[in-house]
Amino acid sequence: MKEIADNLQNKLDQSQADQNAEDIQLIRQLLENLLKLSFEQEQLMKDVKKAEPQSPKYVQLMQRQAELKEDADMIADSLQTLGKRQFQIQNFIADELYKLNREMKKSLEFMQERYVPQATTAQQFVMTHTNNLALMLSESLDNLQQQQNQMKQKMSGDGSCNKPNSGKGNKPSLKQLQDQLGNQLKDMQQKMKEGKQGKQMSKEFAEAAEKQAMIREALRQMKEKLSQEEKNKLGIDDLMNKAEENEKDLITKNLTQKTINRQKEIETRLLEFDKAKREQGEDEKKQSTSGKELPNKLPPALEQYLQQRKSTTEMYKSVPPSLQPFYKSLVDKYFKSIQ
């Protein structure tokens, strides 16, 4: 059994390593495409500002904007594929792609109407959302490369390195994740007040976002198991929305007091719900116990007397009463009296 467990763990590690390698390659390609899109959009925006709206060149610029929109749509397809495999960044990708597509459409519409200032403003927002996606992918790439290096070290070691770690391999509970995230956010908030920035803070934001994504996924799994009454009582949909908002804040490095408060509210409501369920279980147990009727136990002496009287009665009944009517009547009266 131990050998089978080791083999399964090795296969899982290898599978994870292969997927990470594929994701790293995809992210690198996406990063290159996003940066190219951002630079080309910036150049186009500058050209639009200089061009005369009624000139033939302006028409060419409109065509170029339409081509950039097609490029963005192709990038979006690959980003959505990545989001399905890396669920920690799925919501952020969906949100930024929605905004990017919206501003692309606005820029085209404003250019067609010859509203140059509005068109260039929309193009500026296109660059903003493109850069947000590129920044997020850059940090995800760093995290994946670190994971890949750790897995390579683990798999290149001896047999003992491939054994699953006791404790580390166990998936943390929702409460543990909430506690860890709460402490980490407080620590990060303090560091930000002290003015700390740089690569270390980026790493902490990425780790916190990953924990928040795990909490959101745990809430989703919890929702599937709850009854409709329990869902309403807990407000599970509202909690999931708050978890998504926190995840976006952490990915964009926008840690505020609102983020902390949302995290505390999620933790508090989960604790209250857990407490209510325990109390309900105890009440049901009390009700089921109080409904039982306990037999009344007689004193030993009285029980012995009744047993003897029953034996005597049975003895009389077992004797065939071939008696005269007068004596038979007396016996019947006696039995009735002792009953």
Side-chain angles (χ1 to χ4, degrees):
M1 290 295 290
K2 183 174 176 297
E3 185 178 353
I4 292 172
D6 288 345
N7 289 336
L8 285 173
Q9 186 63 42
N10 290 340
K11 288 179 181 178
L12 285 172
D13 289 343
Q14 186 60 53
S15 176
Q16 184 64 47
D18 292 343
Q19 181 175 326
N20 283 353
E22 290 178 13
D23 289 347
I24 287 171
Q25 177 115 20
L26 177 59
I27 289 174
R28 282 175 177 161
Q29 186 62 53
L30 282 168
L31 262 175
E32 184 178 339
N33 293 340
L34 283 168
L35 291 174
K36 182 183 176 185
L37 176 65
S38 181
F39 288 137
E40 290 182 352
Q41 183 66 80
E42 183 179 16
Q43 185 59 51
L44 179 62
M45 181 181 67
K46 292 177 181 178
D47 293 341
V48 170
K49 287 180 179 179
K50 297 176 184 177
E52 289 293 330
Q54 305 303 327
S55 67
K57 185 179 178 181
Y58 190 86
V59 177
Q60 294 175 359
L61 294 176
M62 279 196 294
Q63 292 172 346
R64 183 62 188 137
Q65 184 66 64
E67 290 172 2
L68 288 181
K69 185 180 183 307
E70 290 178 2
D71 292 343
D73 290 340
M74 291 177 64
I75 294 172
D77 291 339
S78 298
L79 278 169
Q80 287 168 346
T81 300
L82 177 67
K84 291 176 182 176
R85 296 168 62 156
Q86 299 285 335
F87 71 88
Q88 300 95 332
I89 58 176
Q90 186 176 18
N91 284 338
F92 181 80
I93 287 175
D95 187 52
E96 289 297 321
L97 283 179
Y98 168 76
K99 293 174 182 176
L100 175 60
N101 185 56
R102 180 188 63 195
E103 298 304 325
M104 275 286 191
K105 287 181 178 178
K106 283 184 182 179
S107 66
L108 277 170
E109 290 170 1
F110 287 136
M111 286 186 74
Q112 289 167 1
E113 297 294 333
R114 285 2 187 225
Y115 297 153
V116 174
Q118 292 89 335
T120 54
T121 300
Q123 289 165 349
Q124 181 66 55
F125 279 118
V126 167
M127 292 166 54
T128 298
H129 298 305
T130 303
N131 293 339
N132 286 344
L133 286 165
L135 179 61
M136 179 273 299
L137 288 183
S138 178
E139 292 178 359
S140 296
L141 181 61
D142 288 342
N143 291 334
L144 278 175
Q145 286 174 331
Q146 288 177 10
Q147 291 177 22
Q148 195 77 336
N149 292 335
Q150 290 171 0
M151 294 189 76
K152 282 181 180 178
Q153 291 174 3
K154 178 182 176 183
M155 295 172 70
S156 63
D158 57 21
S160 62
C161 292
N162 289 327
K163 295 176 184 176
N165 294 329
S166 59
K168 284 188 181 181
N170 295 332
K171 187 176 179 181
S173 66
L174 181 56
K175 184 180 183 304
Q176 289 173 330
L177 285 170
Q178 281 290 131
D179 291 341
Q180 292 171 10
L181 182 60
N183 294 331
Q184 186 173 2
L185 292 184
K186 289 177 186 175
D187 185 54
M188 289 167 62
Q189 189 180 43
Q190 183 61 36
K191 288 179 180 177
M192 290 175 68
K193 287 179 181 178
E194 294 170 0
K196 293 187 178 179
Q197 298 176 2
K199 194 170 182 180
Q200 183 58 37
M201 284 302 296
S202 296
K203 183 179 177 182
E204 291 195 27
F205 269 106
E207 290 175 353
E210 185 175 359
K211 283 192 182 75
Q212 187 64 72
M214 292 171 71
I215 289 171
R216 176 174 55 80
E217 177 63 15
L219 287 171
R220 186 191 65 77
Q221 294 176 4
M222 182 181 179
K223 179 181 178 181
E224 293 177 354
K225 298 175 183 177
L226 294 177
S227 66
Q228 188 59 48
E229 182 182 354
E230 289 173 326
K231 290 176 188 176
N232 295 336
K233 189 178 294 185
L234 176 60
I236 186 74
D237 291 327
D238 181 53
L239 290 187
M240 291 176 69
N241 289 335
K242 291 184 186 303
E244 286 183 12
E245 289 175 19
N246 277 7
E247 190 177 339
K248 291 175 186 176
D249 285 351
L250 294 171
I251 290 172
T252 57
K253 299 180 182 178
N254 184 33
L255 178 59
T256 64
Q257 190 58 43
K258 286 184 178 180
T259 313
I260 304 288
N261 292 341
R262 280 195 295 262
Q263 195 276 335
K264 286 180 180 178
E265 184 177 352
I266 293 172
E267 184 176 4
T268 301
R269 282 167 61 179
L270 285 171
L271 287 172
E272 290 175 350
F273 181 72
D274 187 49
K275 181 182 176 183
K277 284 193 72 175
R278 284 202 309 272
E279 289 176 351
Q280 182 182 356
E282 290 172 1
D283 290 342
E284 290 174 355
K285 187 176 179 181
K286 287 178 183 177
Q287 290 174 5
S288 62
T289 304
S290 62
K292 294 180 181 178
E293 292 186 6
L294 299 175
N296 294 324
K297 192 172 181 181
L298 297 172
L302 179 57
E303 188 173 1
Q304 184 179 3
Y305 166 74
L306 291 174
Q307 192 65 33
Q308 289 176 351
R309 194 179 73 170
K310 182 180 178 184
S311 299
T312 305
T313 304
E314 293 298 328
M315 182 186 68
Y316 276 108
K317 286 184 178 180
S318 63
V319 177
S322 52
L323 304 171
Q324 295 181 6
F326 172 74
Y327 293 107
K328 186 176 180 180
S329 174
L330 290 177
V331 172
D332 289 339
K333 285 180 181 179
Y334 172 73
F335 283 133
K336 287 179 182 179
S337 67
I338 64 174
Q339 288 174 356

